[in-house]
Amino acid sequence: MGATVTRARTTRGEPAAPGGAPEMVQLLTPDGKRIDSARDPYGTEYTVDFTDQEYHKLYHDMVVIRRLDAEAEALQRQGELGIWASLRGQEAAQVGSGHALRPQDMAFPTYREHGVLYCRGIDPIMPLGLFRGVDQGGWDPSKFKFHMYTIVIGAQTLHATGYAMGVAKDGKVGGDDGEAVIAYFGDGATSQGDVNEAFVWSSVYHAPIVFFCQNNQYAISEPIERQTRVPLHQRANGFGFPGIRVDGNDVLASYAVTKAALDQARRGQGPTMIEAYTYRMGAHTTSDDPTRYRLAGEVEQWQAKDPILRLRTFLAEQQIAGDDFFQQTDAEAKAASQELRERVLALPDPQPVQLFDHVYPTGSAELDQQRAQFSAYLESFEGGAH
Amino acid sequence: MAVHEFPLPDLGEGLTEGEILKWLVAEGEVIEQNQPIVEVETAKAAVEIPAKWPGKVVKIFASEGSTVEVGSPIVSIDTEPAEPADEPTGGKIGETTASGRTAVLVGYGPRTTAAKRRPRRTDGPAPVAEPAPAMAVVAAGPALAKPPVRKLARDLGVDLHAVTGTGPAGSITREDVQVIVATPAPTTAGVATVGPDREQRIPVKGVRKLTAENMTASAFTAPHVTEFLTVDVTRAMRALDRLRAHPEWREVRVSPLLLAAKAVLLALRRHPMVNSTWDGAAGEIVVKDYVNLGIAAATERGLIVPNIKDAGRLSLRELADAVTALVQTARTGKTTPAEMTGGTFTITNVGVFGVDTGTPILPPGEAAILAFGSIREQPWVHKGKVRPRPVTTLGLSFDHRIIDGELGSRYLADVGAFLSDPEAALLAWG
């Protein structure tokens, strides 16, 4: 007999397993207690051994990205951005997995991966340009190894699978310096055909990919129990690769599990699915009103599992960081958000002729002609191109 | 002073307007950047808007409850307000300072800004800076209702604060709003402003607005034909007298309208096509096997048309009770929305106003309507001689898409036949 899949119902904000927390890899409890090591159902053992500076970095990045995210949301409310998808509540899943990536690894994000983007070293203003509508995103995906934000739900899992198959065909897997690919998506995306196709292809072709699903409990307003009758990570079993649930509000476990899965992929051991069990504290996007479909009590319950607070408690109790550090981090986050605001407001509106700039990498005679005609047309107005 | 006006942004991908739910700051208040200043509800979400600039709130342009177009300024903020030293410090106890606050023993007492809350706007899409006169409805926080309900309320001119919610957590439902429309509300009805030019401008809303919309829609979609028939109702009046004298009918209110209703119902049984609806979208005529008989009623709030469900199945006695109850309910303003929807044929009893007849407009979705004129003694040729006889004129409007002149005429003739000799008609077709 092979592994049996238990038919368990997941319930919003409550553990799937009766009596306790959902079975998931956890290294830092909600009240900030460190667990030395944890095993997944396949027997793999996880632990982390960070220096103080590394702990500081994780905390710093989570605090800064939460502050930047809040600033972006405020800017949208003030009419400066068209829309914003907040990551609040999901900082640990993103910062933990983001730091587990090696420079050569390629990431395929959704439109909410501001934390991963930040970890990849991309200027945090970039997604704001996109959502302000003044550019198409602006970062160089191949330079930062971070693909463009994908709005179409789940589509990037296929792009990632194709990319990962290419990595394998280039012979860049096998050994510790191999390349791995990570595809981010949400719980709602698991109901999409694209995601299931990506599972099939990557499994059959043994692609070096990690499917990182942030289960934030809601596909916009649709709760997880309307998406699945089994815990999401168990889906992977049916496609023929391991699925592991990690506490997505635990930055240490998120880091450890992602790192192990990426290493498996880069060594040629094929795909892994990670279900980071977390919660979207804010709205789906600024166009959404979560008070219409979920209860305040549920949000409070998750507030108690806050990813930043538990790390802060741990760092303080273990005297890894003191008040100076926390205050300095808050000040840095505030300064970064002020800077972000000023820079966003100063973003120039795009010139109409920029339409032609990125169509072909090497230009085209016909397009050059069109650009010239369009420029002449714009110049025919009084006061030039504007 | 560096005053910036903050326009209502598009809060959710292509919205054109938002409703101000609640101001979280008051004029004169000093605020920080990103401090929540106002709750706004759009078709998508109710959200808090954080202040774009730190500074002092100079003026709030959009009152709570008003709907503001995206791009219209809702508040102005002075980002370089004068130092607080401006505030007069030397006011004597009991004196009122320039800012309207009274010096008390400690500090400057309670601010009175709350009392400056502007009245709710009731018409026009533009934000109002001026208070609309005579509309001093003070809101106590936002009313709980979903956006479609808010829209319905706005369309019907219903102030949500005047509605008691029966939905979850006391939220206001669609039905709650409709009940209010059906209920006389003297506080808001007939609010009108008389200008210096001796013209009165009455906001079109509520029942008036609904009626106007229905009548316009009906008049310009259904080709109306109206036919008239004058009948001698002497026998009908005698029949009524006998009914009134009957021991079992002693407590029952009996009026000519009852016989008109019976006439209409019996004639519908003989001409079912008259009891139908033109379904243009489906390309079908829907012939109904039931009659929900509408009786147009003039109420304080305006014209309403409640109907008697499945009136064709009622005995004359049951019909009499139903008519009495319907009129009673309408007069006391307790008609429910359900009682006003689903009508299939309507009688408008214009006779009670002393007029002979009319050319009524069809209620939307109905194929015919009968105007029942007054019954008056008139010279009438009876058995070869001119006699004073009680006579009435029936006016039947019908939808010519469904009903041809022949059918309409036969139907009207049957109604007339009943009223000129109810007993014979009952025996013949009863």
Side-chain angles (χ1 to χ4, degrees), chain B residues 213-421:
Chain B
E213 285 171 0
N214 283 344
M215 291 301 106
T216 309
S218 177
F220 292 106
T221 52
H224 285 59
V225 174
T226 307
E227 292 185 337
F228 305 102
L229 178 66
T230 305
V231 287
D232 172 1
V233 293
T234 309
R235 287 190 172 123
M237 300 311 276
R238 283 189 198 140
L240 281 182
D241 286 342
R242 290 214 298 278
L243 260 186
R244 288 183 185 120
H246 197 281
E248 284 180 21
W249 282 70
R250 204 166 288 155
E251 307 296 320
V252 186
R253 192 184 141 77
V254 176
S255 73
L257 177 63
L258 173 65
L259 289 186
K262 191 66 187 173
V264 157
L265 292 169
L266 284 177
L268 283 179
R269 204 183 287 170
R270 287 162 58 78
H271 307 284
M273 189 61 96
V274 176
N275 189 45
S276 63
T277 289
W278 180 266
D279 186 349
E284 290 170 345
I285 294 168
V286 186
V287 184
K288 290 155 186 173
D289 196 29
Y290 56 91
V291 182
N292 293 339
L293 182 66
I295 309 278
T299 70
E300 269 182 59
R301 244 192 119 80
L303 172 70
I304 66 167
V305 189
N307 60 71
I308 299 167
K309 303 289 181 218
D310 216 352
R313 294 203 173 174
L314 301 182
S315 68
L316 190 65
R317 172 64 195 270
E318 288 166 335
L319 189 62
D321 291 341
V323 170
T324 306
L326 175 144
V327 172
Q328 198 62 35
T329 309
R331 280 202 186 129
T332 52
K334 295 201 174 124
T335 307
T336 66
E339 288 169 325
M340 290 192 286
T341 52
T344 66
F345 185 102
T346 294
I347 299 175
T348 174
N349 191 16
V350 293
V352 296
F353 302 114
V355 302
D356 289 336
T357 190
T359 58
I361 294 177
L362 295 164
E366 298 182 22
I369 178 170
L370 183 80
F372 187 43
S374 69
I375 297 169
R376 290 191 287 139
E377 288 222 322
Q378 290 184 35
W380 189 261
V381 178
H382 178 66
K383 292 182 178 170
K385 287 186 177 156
V386 176
R387 302 276 187 212
R389 306 277 285 186
V391 165
T392 190
T393 303
L394 306 171
L396 180 79
S397 290
F398 53 87
D399 184 342
H400 207 334
R401 292 174 302 184
I402 303 175
I403 300 169
D404 289 332
E406 184 196 356
L407 175 59
S409 306
R410 285 185 187 281
Y411 179 80
L412 184 58
D414 276 2
V415 174
F418 181 97
L419 289 173
S420 31
D421 195 346

Side-chain angles (χ1 to χ4, degrees), chain A residues 107-177:
Chain A
F108 287 80
T110 71
Y111 43 81
R112 204 188 299 280
E113 262 64 75
H114 321 309
V116 185
L117 174 138
Y118 185 76
C119 292
R120 292 260 85 182
I122 298 171
D123 186 342
I125 197 176
M126 289 296 180
L128 279 80
L130 175 67
F131 290 120
R132 191 174 166 82
V134 298
D135 59 43
Q136 304 290 332
W139 64 89
D140 180 347
S142 53
K143 179 182 168 197
F144 291 99
K145 292 282 189 175
F146 186 79
H147 196 254
M148 306 311 298
Y149 275 5
T150 300
I151 311 291
V152 178
I153 301 301
Q156 74 283 2
T157 57
L158 280 174
H159 310 157
T161 298
Y163 188 95
M165 288 164 64
V167 168
K169 283 188 189 300
D170 285 347
K172 290 180 177 169
V173 289
D176 290 343
D177 57 351

Side-chain angles (χ1 to χ4, degrees), chain A residues 50-345:
Chain A
F50 286 133
T51 63
D52 287 3
Q53 284 69 34
E54 285 166 335
Y55 277 125
H56 291 177
K57 177 74 178 152
L58 290 175
Y59 179 82
H60 171 274
D61 286 2
M62 287 201 290
V63 169
V64 170
I65 197 62
R66 176 174 288 187
R67 187 67 188 80
L68 295 179
D69 181 74
E71 196 66 34
E73 197 168 60
L75 283 163
Q76 194 281 337
R77 296 276 185 254
Q78 291 156 0
E80 299 297 341
L81 300 181
I83 185 171
W84 184 255
S86 167
L87 65 37
R88 191 154 51 89
Q90 301 175 221
E91 295 89 350
Q94 293 198 12
V95 170
S97 65
H99 278 293
L101 291 167
R102 293 223 203 136
Q104 71 268 30
D105 296 341
M106 181 71 186
F108 287 80
T110 71
Y111 43 81
R112 204 188 299 280
E113 262 64 75
H114 321 309
V116 185
L117 174 138
Y118 185 76
C119 292
R120 292 260 85 182
I122 298 171
D123 186 342
I125 197 176
M126 289 296 180
L128 279 80
L130 175 67
F131 290 120
R132 191 174 166 82
V134 298
D135 59 43
Q136 304 290 332
W139 64 89
D140 180 347
S142 53
K143 179 182 168 197
F144 291 99
K145 292 282 189 175
F146 186 79
H147 196 254
M148 306 311 298
Y149 275 5
T150 300
I151 311 291
V152 178
I153 301 301
Q156 74 283 2
T157 57
L158 280 174
H159 310 157
T161 298
Y163 188 95
M165 288 164 64
V167 168
K169 283 188 189 300
D170 285 347
K172 290 180 177 169
V173 289
D176 290 343
D177 57 351
E179 281 184 35
V181 176
I182 189 166
Y184 287 91
F185 54 101
D187 43 297
T190 61
S191 299
Q192 292 281 354
D194 282 9
V195 173
N196 290 273
E197 289 162 29
F199 286 176
V200 169
W201 280 81
S202 57
S203 171
V204 169
Y205 283 86
H206 216 56
I209 185 169
V210 173
F211 291 105
F212 193 92
C213 174
Q214 288 168 78
N215 176 1
N216 69 14
Q217 315 298 332
Y218 287 91
I220 307 188
S221 58
E222 198 75 342
I224 184 68
E225 65 259 27
R226 302 285 275 276
Q227 303 283 344
T228 184
R229 284 298 193 196
V230 298
L232 280 179
H233 64 282
Q234 292 184 5
R235 292 254 179 107
N237 295 331
F239 291 93
F241 52 90
I244 300 158
R245 179 182 268 174
V246 64
D247 182 349
N249 284 17
D250 171 359
V251 69
L252 307 182
S254 294
Y255 172 89
V257 172
T258 310
K259 184 168 187 303
L262 286 166
D263 286 346
Q264 288 288 90
R266 79 177 82 255
R267 288 186 197 120
Q269 299 300 310
T272 303
M273 178 182 175
I274 298 172
E275 178 193 359
Y277 200 76
T278 182
Y279 194 76
R280 190 191 76 213
M281 297 303 291
H284 170 72
T285 68
T286 45
S287 300
D288 173 44
D289 184 352
T291 60
R292 293 194 199 169
Y293 53 82
R294 62 185 197 189
L295 299 170
E298 180 185 303
V299 180
E300 266 173 41
Q301 207 176 343
W302 278 92
Q303 192 78 52
K305 302 177 190 171
D306 185 69
I308 295 179
L309 196 62
R310 71 171 78 175
L311 184 60
R312 184 184 170 122
T313 306
F314 168 69
L315 296 182
E317 281 182 2
Q318 298 299 311
Q319 298 185 338
I320 298 171
D323 285 346
D324 288 357
F325 168 75
F326 295 128
Q327 282 165 15
Q328 190 195 329
T329 306
D330 288 345
E332 278 177 36
K334 193 178 178 193
S337 68
Q338 267 305 323
E339 188 196 334
L340 184 76
R341 163 175 290 266
E342 283 157 24
R343 290 177 59 207
V344 166
L345 298 180

